[in-house]
Amino acid sequence: AVVFTNINLEKAIEFDEYCHNHQPPIAFIKSEVRGLFGSIFCDFGPEFTVLDVDDKEPHTGIIASISNDNPALVSFVDDERLEFQDGDLVVFSEIKGMTELNDGKPRRIKNARPFSFVLEEDTTKFGEYDKGGIATQVKQPKNLNFKPLKVALRDPGYFLLSDFAKSFRPPLLHLAFQALDKFISKTGRLPTAGSDEDSRRLVDMVTAMNEELSGDAKLGEIDANVLQHFACGARAVLNPMAAIFGGIAGQEVVKACSGKFHPIYQFFYFDSLESLPAEPLDSGDLMPINSRYDPQISVFGSKLQKKLEEAKVFVVGAGALGCEFLKNLSLMGVSCDSQGKLVITDDDVIEKSNLSRQFLFRDWNIGQAKSTVAAAAAVLINPSLSIEALQNRASPDTENVFDDPFWEGLDVVINALDNVTARLYIDSRCLYFQKPLLESGTLGTKCNTQMVIPHLTENYGASRDPPEKQAPMCTVHSFPHNIDHCLTWARSEFEGLLEKTPTEVNSFLSKPNEYKAAIRSAGDVQARETLERVIECLGTEYCETFQDCVAWARLKFEDYFSNRVKQLTFTFPEDAATSTGFPFWSAPKRFPRPLVFSVEDVAHRHFIMAASILRAEAFGINVPDWAKRPDSNEFVASIKRVTVSEFHPKRDVKIVTDEKATTLTTASTDDAAVIDGLILKLDERATELPSGFRMNPIQFEKDDDTNYHIDLISGLANMRARNYGIPEVEKLKAKFIAGRIIPAIATTTAMATGFVCLELYKVLAGGHKLDDYRNTFANLALPLFVMAEPVGPKVIKHRDLSWTVWDRWIIRENLTLKELLQWFQARGLTAYSISCGQSLLYNSIFPRHRERMDRKVVDLAMEISKLEVPPSRRHFDIVVACEDEEENDIDVPLVSIYFR
């Protein structure tokens, strides 16, 4: 693939023609940014095959029944809704009874519903469906025929839209970019910012070109205002626009080289005229001042540039998004004046896996604080940047650092976070202090941005995605039916065996009396289980030599993948039925089979290797070199030396099948007595341990491929998958799922931060209306760009009052409780409940609370809720529940009482 960013049309057509006709064709990508306008064109040749048109795994469904009909109806278990669509091709596997469908042949479906679809096949002569089966979508390649640039300019076809409010804009910009090329070829220069003559000349060129068109291609109206702005900013390459189109072009290169994801077909035009200041710009304000920001000044004017430089900005997070934001902000000149300041905070340190997308970091920065390294790199980009790097997590625990004066002094907050909890906290702070919040997030090729503007938009927490569906505990531990369940179980076992239990052991050995007191105080089933694991670790599973570690690993294999399965299938045989007579082992449950250990099986040996090495690490035992070679004679011999006892299933073993259960062990009335007995055993065992013995808890680390962590987790998951007939997983995918890695790529991150920085111009300029702002959702894989104005906040009205979530009622008097209730009554509201923090100061249903009427509210708060107001704060906050005259509940704003 080749990418051109600064080339005239004549040369572009010449190069594109060569690339288009070359064998094999060379993907040609042309991108151009002019002020607040940008374009990209793609030509991947006369025939290009897209191997994967989107960014999704093939859809699957667990079959419940298949009819012997023409066409056949396929129904699925109601575990989760299907995502199949009419016309999809699917293949079937693991079907019992109607085995004719297990031939791997793709079959087309129709009438797709949430839990069924119709199969376009006659199954009347097939065997009768018995049970089981999985339907898997077959993703079909797509062939695209690209036009060369010379042809596409005359016949552009469909333009990829980004903003449906501007559906008329792409055809106009298609002409504008061609007219600009003509302007340059005739004058030898670009239009001058603020030059009315140059603007008129460009408008005339576009008008003349439009007159030469016919039919639907001819525009009914030419928007001269848009073209004037286009001409005015033609000399400027703005950093946010470069970030957006750099990200888009970068992803198109990946598509051209891999065939993965759908390319842009073929033109995409974008503009952000809404980013211009709300007030008309004076041409004199656009003149260059001999600074590095002259291109930006030619678009926005020197007044807004000064506001950018004096801005006080808080960037939360210095990861992938944070690095991109720092690069953008430093190039834009944000906080690059002595009056401005940029504060960035992140409590994380740099890891190896960060380097692929967090481009401000290098190999030698691994282990260093992200915020400090990122800030130093940003200063190299712009030495004028006034920046302070902190290593604090922005949370309730650090409100002494990020205190009231800090928040009150900010102009804008930019989130660069990767978790919802942190986002919600920052959102609450911005709500409270009424500060603009620019929010964004990425997931693979997808990104979204949300503008949270005081009194104009809803806040981030006003609308949230539903939580991800979690598999029931009993499914993960006893009835898995996909590899995700196996990996979740494997991660849990890893942490229990190598981190949690060794930590408990050390807690006991360090402070035995306090530990035993805490266990006795808890006295529940969880405490009993914890104690049993500690005793087991220090007793029957205690390791002194590496051979002990091999034996431990071998016996764990037998326990996990043979004995437990034998017990499960003994308790619930293959023909077991539920209390209603329905087969117990019906979909989605899969009947398991125990594994028979074989030293000849490579996967079995690798499991023993990883488990024994990590067990040795936990006990501080040296690992011999031969242990890291699972094919070595010494290693094989060490496994063969292990004696494995024969297992006999027990009767009356209770196995949890309730999907709502939160624990796998049932409580008993004598837990406390059992705990006392276990503590005696633990004390006895402790006297036999070497003096000063401690274990080494192992915290899961996904980024070190040499530490055997992923080896053990993938081994655990894959052996369990074999038990249940589930397809096994590769080590890399195991790392992705078990490591809970959020896919992040540089192209999407660059684009997302570019969109946010276009909104930053609006926030710092001030005076923009709601319909000037844009929230964005984009998916580079499809490709899809959706921009829309934000949703306004919900307005609550009562009498002649109205308020939103952004409002806070301020009372500048040190009121008594009685006076506070009267304050609400004067507004037609009855306050029936008042709380401060987690404590209830007043509730009308409690007669004793009436005794508090003559006391100051601040005194009640200090006494009951243990309120501590720092010297820098003059007020405290209360939450009041009210009802109107008709006894309807009314949500009132937070109330701040200024008592000092």
Side-chain angles (χ1 to χ4, degrees):
V2 294
V3 181
F4 292 92
T5 58
N6 188 14
I7 186 174
N8 62 47
L9 272 179
E10 183 181 356
K11 279 290 184 184
I13 290 170
E14 179 185 339
F15 282 124
D16 175 66
E17 187 174 340
Y18 174 82
C19 293
H20 189 88
N21 296 322
H22 189 272
Q23 290 300 323
I26 301 169
F28 174 91
I29 301 166
K30 178 180 181 296
S31 187
E32 193 173 355
V33 168
R34 300 291 180 186
L36 288 168
F37 300 82
S39 74
I40 188 167
F41 168 80
C42 294
D43 173 12
F44 289 6
E47 291 185 5
F48 181 79
T49 301
V50 184
L51 302 176
D52 181 5
V53 296
D54 55 31
D55 190 14
K56 297 179 181 178
E57 291 290 321
H59 305 314
T60 62
I62 300 172
I63 298 168
S65 67
I66 306 175
S67 67
N68 290 93
D69 286 319
N70 184 19
L73 176 66
V74 183
S75 299
F76 294 81
V77 299
D78 58 0
D79 189 43
E80 54 186 62
R81 295 170 66 92
L82 302 175
E83 296 187 52
F84 295 114
Q85 296 182 353
D86 289 359
D88 277 353
L89 291 175
V90 300
V91 293
F92 296 94
S93 59
E94 302 182 32
I95 296 174
K96 302 291 176 60
M98 196 178 289
T99 56
E100 293 88 346
L101 292 178
N102 290 333
D103 57 6
K105 171 187 170 184
R107 292 171 165 86
R108 198 166 299 281
I109 68 168
K110 62 181 181 180
N111 297 342
R113 298 289 183 268
F115 302 105
S116 68
F117 58 62
V118 171
L119 183 64
E120 294 184 349
E121 183 139 356
D122 182 358
T123 62
T124 53
K125 296 181 180 179
F126 288 4
E128 185 176 350
Y129 174 82
D130 180 19
K131 62 180 180 180
I134 296 174
T136 304
Q137 178 195 30
V138 178
K139 300 191 78 169
Q140 293 294 292
K142 182 178 181 180
N143 293 320
L144 296 175
N145 308 116
F146 286 84
K147 302 171 189 175
L149 178 59
K150 186 174 183 180
V151 175
L153 285 170
R154 296 193 306 269
D155 182 18
Y158 171 76
F159 292 107
L160 178 62
L161 289 177
S162 62
D163 191 336
F164 288 97
K166 302 178 183 177
S167 58
F168 53 85
R169 191 70 55 83
L172 177 63
L173 297 184
H174 185 65
L175 295 177
F177 275 93
Q178 293 179 68
L180 180 64
D181 184 76
K182 284 187 177 182
F183 184 101
I184 297 170
S185 65
K186 287 185 177 181
T187 63
R189 62 178 178 85
L190 287 160
T192 302
S195 169
D196 292 337
E197 181 182 346
D198 284 356
S199 295
R200 281 196 299 270
R201 192 167 182 177
L202 187 78
V203 171
D204 291 342
M205 286 181 172
V206 171
T207 303
M209 291 171 63
N210 186 54
E211 289 300 320
E212 296 175 4
L213 301 176
S214 60
D216 294 337
K218 186 174 182 178
L219 301 179
E221 183 180 352
I222 300 294
D223 192 329
N225 182 55
V226 170
L227 295 177
Q228 287 168 2
H229 286 300
F230 179 79
C232 189
R235 292 174 178 261
V237 178
L238 301 176
N239 175 257
M241 293 293 292
I244 292 169
F245 279 88
I248 294 172
Q251 194 64 47
E252 294 304 304
V253 170
V254 175
K255 295 174 186 178
C257 298
S258 67
K260 190 171 178 65
F261 309 148
H262 199 294
I264 291 175
Y265 191 77
Q266 293 185 260
F267 284 102
F268 174 59
Y269 293 102
F270 171 80
D271 76 87
S272 183
L273 282 182
E274 307 80 22
S275 295
L276 289 172
E279 297 296 324
L281 290 168
D282 181 73
S283 59
D285 197 34
L286 304 174
M287 294 297 104
I289 58 174
N290 195 29
S291 82
R292 65 182 292 172
Y293 312 118
D294 280 351
Q296 192 163 255
I297 290 171
S298 72
V299 176
F300 295 101
S302 56
K303 292 178 183 175
L304 178 54
Q305 183 60 46
K306 186 172 180 59
K307 288 184 178 180
L308 292 174
E309 294 174 35
E310 294 179 351
K312 296 170 180 63
V313 182
F314 185 27
V315 178
V316 191
L321 287 167
C323 285
E324 287 284 350
F325 277 126
L326 281 189
K327 177 259 294 180
N328 291 352
L329 298 175
S330 58
L331 289 172
M332 293 163 65
V334 174
S335 305
C336 289
D337 182 90
S338 58
Q339 300 297 311
K341 186 175 183 180
L342 190 157
V343 177
I344 183 166
T345 191
D346 195 313
D347 65 341
D348 201 4
V349 295
I350 299 164
E351 299 176 356
K352 185 178 180 180
S353 63
N354 301 147
L355 302 181
S356 66
R357 62 196 182 281
Q358 299 175 23
F359 67 97
L360 296 182
F361 308 143
R362 299 294 181 267
D363 284 345
W364 53 86
N365 297 132
I366 292 173
Q368 298 175 16
K370 284 186 175 181
S371 58
T372 304
V373 175
V379 170
L380 292 176
I381 295 172
N382 191 335
S384 299
L385 180 65
S386 175
I387 187 169
E388 179 182 5
L390 301 176
Q391 288 81 51
N392 303 97
R393 181 189 295 266
S395 69
D397 296 333
T398 55
E399 289 184 6
N400 61 321
V401 178
F402 306 112
D403 54 15
D404 290 11
F406 171 81
W407 284 98
E408 288 165 354
L410 295 174
D411 293 317
V412 63
V413 179
I414 300 175
N415 264 355
L417 294 163
D418 61 0
N419 69 90
V420 172
T421 302
R423 286 184 171 112
L424 288 171
Y425 173 74
I426 298 297
D427 177 59
S428 69
R429 295 278 83 192
C430 290
L431 263 180
Y432 187 85
F433 291 100
Q434 301 191 7
K435 299 298 178 181
L437 171 63
L438 307 187
E439 175 61 62
S440 58
T442 70
L443 183 66
T445 58
K446 296 186 281 288
C447 81
N448 71 283
T449 68
Q450 181 180 350
M451 303 304 109
V452 179
I453 311 299
H455 303 288
L456 279 184
T457 74
E458 67 177 9
N459 63 307
Y460 171 78
S463 57
R464 295 173 59 186
D465 293 332
E468 289 187 14
K469 187 177 180 180
Q470 299 290 325
M473 185 176 290
C474 68
T475 298
V476 170
H477 285 269
S478 299
F479 309 109
H481 53 80
N482 62 45
I483 196 64
D484 285 23
H485 297 158
C486 298
L487 284 163
T488 300
W489 171 82
R491 171 78 184 264
S492 175
E493 291 299 312
F494 180 101
E495 292 175 345
L497 293 170
L498 299 170
E499 181 184 3
K500 292 179 181 177
T501 299
T503 300
E504 291 288 334
V505 167
N506 290 348
S507 296
F508 164 69
L509 294 174
S510 300
K511 297 181 178 179
N513 292 330
E514 289 91 332
Y515 184 82
K516 289 182 287 186
I519 288 287
R520 283 194 175 103
S521 176
D524 57 9
V525 64
Q526 283 81 14
R528 188 190 82 203
E529 287 180 338
T530 299
L531 207 51
E532 287 171 345
R533 286 193 293 269
V534 170
I535 292 171
E536 187 178 53
C537 182
L538 295 178
T540 57
E541 296 187 353
Y542 183 79
C543 296
E544 295 184 81
T545 66
F546 188 75
Q547 179 61 41
D548 292 337
C549 299
V550 173
W552 175 85
R554 173 65 185 87
L555 294 176
K556 277 296 174 189
F557 183 100
E558 200 69 17
D559 176 41
Y560 283 144
F561 312 120
S562 180
N563 298 350
R564 293 191 188 187
V565 174
K566 289 175 182 177
Q567 183 64 62
L568 178 62
T569 54
F570 178 82
T571 304
F572 299 109
E574 194 166 7
D575 58 356
T578 65
S579 58
T580 59
F582 197 72
F584 179 83
W585 292 102
S586 57
K589 290 188 180 74
R590 305 170 76 100
F591 186 77
R593 311 283 178 186
L595 299 186
V596 177
F597 182 84
S598 171
V599 77
E600 305 299 326
D601 191 309
V602 175
H604 291 191
R605 292 200 308 273
H606 273 271
F607 172 84
I608 302 297
M609 176 187 70
S612 58
I613 288 174
L614 291 173
R615 187 66 169 178
E617 182 182 334
F619 275 87
I621 298 169
N622 288 330
V623 178
D625 290 339
W626 54 260
K628 299 176 183 178
R629 301 191 304 273
D631 295 331
S632 67
N633 293 332
E634 297 97 326
F635 187 73
V636 172
S638 70
I639 297 175
K640 290 181 176 179
R641 282 195 290 269
V642 180
T643 302
V644 180
S645 303
E646 187 177 352
F647 176 77
H648 300 285
K650 300 174 183 177
R651 295 189 179 276
D652 302 323
V653 171
K654 292 184 178 180
I655 296 174
V656 175
T657 60
D658 182 4
E659 293 190 353
K660 297 179 181 179
T662 57
T663 179
L664 298 174
T665 307
T666 54
S668 63
T669 55
D670 61 346
D671 277 335
V674 172
I675 286 172
D676 286 336
L678 292 172
I679 286 176
L680 290 175
K681 287 185 179 180
L682 187 57
D683 283 334
E684 182 181 343
R685 176 57 186 148
T687 62
E688 302 169 357
L689 295 172
S691 177
F693 171 78
R694 295 291 186 276
M695 294 190 70
N696 304 312
I698 299 173
Q699 190 170 17
F700 174 64
E701 171 53 63
K702 65 182 182 299
D703 292 321
D704 183 354
D705 292 334
T706 65
N707 62 12
Y708 295 98
H709 293 194
I710 291 296
D711 296 83
L712 179 56
I713 284 179
S714 60
L716 283 164
N718 283 335
M719 294 306 99
R720 190 167 177 80
R722 288 189 188 184
N723 282 140
Y724 288 87
I726 297 169
E728 296 177 33
V729 66
E730 294 179 353
K731 184 178 173 180
L732 185 62
K733 189 171 183 180
K735 177 179 179 177
F736 184 83
I737 299 173
R740 297 162 192 160
I741 296 173
I742 298 173
I745 53 178
T747 52
T748 315
T749 307
M751 179 179 66
T753 57
F755 283 131
V756 170
C757 289
L758 287 176
E759 302 302 305
L760 180 63
Y761 289 126
K762 307 171 190 177
V763 170
L764 294 179
H768 284 271
K769 299 177 293 184
L770 178 66
D771 57 9
D772 289 332
Y773 288 96
R774 291 291 184 272
N775 289 346
T776 305
F777 173 79
N779 187 341
L780 287 173
L782 297 179
L784 173 70
F785 302 91
V786 179
M787 308 191 75
E789 68 180 60
V791 176
K794 178 184 176 183
V795 178
I796 300 173
K797 295 183 178 181
H798 171 72
R799 289 187 173 181
D800 57 347
L801 299 173
S802 65
W803 61 87
T804 72
V805 68
W806 287 101
D807 289 296
R808 183 156 47 108
W809 284 350
I810 295 176
I811 300 175
R812 299 188 182 277
E813 294 180 70
N814 192 7
L815 301 179
T816 64
L817 177 59
K818 182 177 181 180
E819 289 169 336
L820 178 62
L821 296 176
Q822 290 172 344
W823 189 91
F824 278 95
Q825 287 170 354
R827 289 154 179 79
L829 295 167
T830 300
Y832 62 82
S833 178
I834 301 172
S835 60
C836 180
Q838 302 296 317
S839 302
L840 190 63
L841 305 185
Y842 168 77
N843 194 298
S844 60
I845 66 172
F846 298 130
R848 293 189 61 182
H849 283 193
R850 294 172 192 153
E851 300 172 5
R852 302 172 178 175
M853 287 295 179
D854 294 327
R855 297 190 60 187
K856 298 288 187 182
V857 180
V858 65
D859 295 334
L860 290 173
M862 289 180 175
E863 176 186 320
I864 298 169
S865 67
K866 310 303 180 188
L867 174 71
E868 294 181 5
V869 183
S872 60
R873 183 177 293 175
R874 297 168 43 235
H875 71 278
F876 68 100
D877 302 313
I878 56 175
V879 176
V880 183
C882 292
E883 58 185 20
D884 61 15
E885 297 93 333
E886 299 175 357
E887 299 185 350
N888 297 313
D889 278 341
I890 301 289
D891 290 330
V892 300
L894 188 71
V895 178
S896 295
I897 298 180
Y898 281 72
F899 65 98
R900 287 175 178 163

